[in-house]
Amino acid sequence: MQFVHETLPQRVRFASGAAAEGLVAEVAALGAQRVMVIAGAAEKDLADRITAGLPVVHRHSDVVMHVPLEVALRARAAAAKQDVDVLVSVGGGSTTGLAKAVALTTGLPIVAVPTTYAGSEATAVWGLTENSAKTTGSDPRVLPRAIVYDAALTLSLPVELSVASGLNALAHCVDSLWAPRADPINQALAIEGARALRVGLPLVAAEPDAVAGREKALYGAYLSAAAFASAGSGLHHKICHVLGGMFNLPHAQTHAVVLPHVLAFNAPGVSDAEHRLAAALDAPTATEGLARLGNRLKAPRSLRSLGMPSEGITEAAQAVVTAAPAGNPRPITVDAITGLVRAAWEGADPR
């Protein structure tokens, strides 16, 4: 056994109903006096409530999916104008992503308060979209200094969005099994994250107003993101980044649709990890386990239903092959990826 594993420096607070107290403690620990709160319109009331005890000088609500460059530039200008010394993001992946876009050029610290299971808060990965192309990268400046997890804040997330967001988290687990820096430690995190999500997401669907399932799902989402942060971005995420940037598809739902097809494609090349993932999903094979979970959760099935045009399949496949990371368990060819994307567009059963 030989590997190099990097654990990212970050403090995690996990306590339901304690977001406001956690934020006060984390902002004080940074010695910050001028807070910029980033939260979209849907999270405004929630953000106002949990940041009431902070020295807020600016509240920023201009949040857009996939972080268009012009949106990032406006947020950076606002941070400079208000001379802020810390960013507090309250929301899902788009909100965290905008905070990262500001931190990327300013070096401002981020305290992230997730309200979904996106996982961006636990990674040093940033993304910006310009001219229908999404560019991603990794930079230690964008890793939030602290995460304040409060499962009670996810109670308002509708079941349909909870399912998509949770399957997005599961995609972090799956991609971590074969990503460029996959190692036994991040694989262990990924397997435990998958198990927690397999248990938690059906509880969220069955009892959306109960905290227990939300806590389990949030715990799984963090583990999956921590694994992904170490392992790097594999084939699945490259496909979804291309599709999201090219066709402006909803982020979490795109991951939910594409994931079963990438797993079925790569599983034969990672037999040991596949067996462990199958056990975590409580099924004879990982592909079967994911299919059962998707059926149970009524997960979205096709890219067509998300608004992707059929004429974009070939162009997307070619872009994926160009962006795909080295070392994938199976050869990545235009024909193979075209078939995979077409199957996901049609909503075919990957089994």
Side-chain angles (χ1 to χ4, degrees), residues 132-134 235-249 254 258 303-304 307-324 332-345:
S132 298
K134 187 168 185 177
L235 176 62
H236 170 82
H237 278 78
K238 293 301 183 182
I239 292 174
C240 291
H241 287 161
V242 167
L243 296 176
M246 192 173 286
F247 307 110
N248 196 34
L249 303 181
T254 301
V258 171
L303 294 172
R304 173 169 45 190
M308 177 181 167
S310 61
E311 58 269 23
I313 292 174
T314 300
E315 181 185 3
Q318 291 171 340
V320 168
V321 172
T322 301
I332 297 174
T333 66
V334 171
D335 285 346
I337 300 303
T338 299
L340 190 157
V341 174
R342 185 175 301 282
W345 183 84

